[in-house]
Amino acid sequence: MARSVSHHPSAIEVIYLHGITFESDISYPDDFDFQTDEGPAFDYLDFSDFLDDLQETAQGRYPSFHPCDRWVGREDHVILENGAAEVSVAEYGGLISISLAPKDGSDWDYDRETARNANWTGRISTNFRKLLRRRFKPFVQIPLGTASNGESFFRPWAHPEKLISSKEGELW
């Protein structure tokens, strides 16, 4: 059964990325000559370098965000938060989702705080999406839909003539 990458259950904005390669994922053949052979291009050394870049990008525009390290469910890693919102990242099969979600209110004032947090998160969501689309332009994917088996389909933002599947990768 195919499936797609997870995203934060309360997400107001989700940005999908595909095609980022990490040096730690590249395997070289035994006879590879590092002196003369040109290796594959990579964008980050490893996933933590990508997360650092994402945090720096978001904090540059929204300084109220501070780093954190917790999980929502089993797959969504919250890497930034402030009093109103949180940013989480999930990865599955080379597809990455970055979610912006409002935080729930406290027990004593749940309804009012939750509404305030959702309002603030909704107000920044368009600019947050634009910021990340500019930063990760070659990798941004626009979701087209999901099949009944859980497989999702995307159109690369920079190459609208192509089609990406969460199961198969690039289809055409």
Side-chain angles (χ1 to χ4, degrees):
M1 172 186 254
R3 76 173 195 80
S4 190
V5 67
S6 174
H7 59 79
H8 194 290
S10 302
I12 288 180
E13 189 65 57
V14 181
I15 295 93
Y16 295 97
L17 307 176
H18 181 268
I20 297 176
T21 54
F22 303 101
E23 186 176 67
S24 56
D25 292 340
I26 298 171
S27 58
Y28 295 94
D30 293 336
D31 61 347
F32 187 81
D33 184 359
F34 288 93
Q35 299 295 328
T36 59
D37 293 342
E38 187 175 317
F42 61 90
D43 303 296
Y44 298 99
L45 294 176
D46 58 26
F47 197 70
S48 65
D49 289 340
F50 166 75
L51 294 179
D52 291 343
D53 184 23
L54 175 59
Q55 287 176 323
E56 289 174 16
T57 300
Q59 287 177 302
R61 175 67 175 90
Y62 304 102
S64 64
F65 279 121
H66 56 85
C68 68
D69 184 18
R70 63 184 168 77
W71 293 84
V72 174
R74 293 182 6 211
E75 298 182 26
D76 298 299
H77 184 194
V78 179
I79 61 167
L80 289 170
E81 68 180 350
N82 63 16
E86 53 195 25
V87 176
S88 66
V89 177
E91 188 272 335
Y92 180 78
L95 188 62
I96 299 170
S97 72
I98 304 167
S99 302
L100 175 68
K103 293 174 86 171
D104 286 338
S106 62
D107 290 339
W108 62 272
D109 199 7
Y110 181 83
D111 292 336
R112 187 178 353 192
E113 283 187 32
T114 301
R116 177 186 58 88
N117 293 349
N119 184 2
W120 184 86
T121 307
R123 285 194 335 253
I124 72 159
S125 66
T126 300
N127 288 330
F128 183 80
R129 178 181 61 237
K130 288 178 183 178
L131 172 72
L132 295 186
R133 281 185 176 177
R134 261 193 319 269
R135 175 66 187 100
F136 301 109
K137 184 177 181 175
F139 311 108
V140 173
Q141 306 296 314
I142 307 301
L144 297 177
T146 303
S148 61
N149 67 352
E151 182 177 4
S152 295
F153 299 93
F154 301 89
R155 178 182 56 82
W157 191 48
H159 301 283
E161 71 282 359
K162 294 185 178 183
L163 181 66
I164 303 289
S165 158
S166 63
K167 179 181 178 185
E168 305 291 334
E170 187 172 318
L171 297 177
W172 68 73

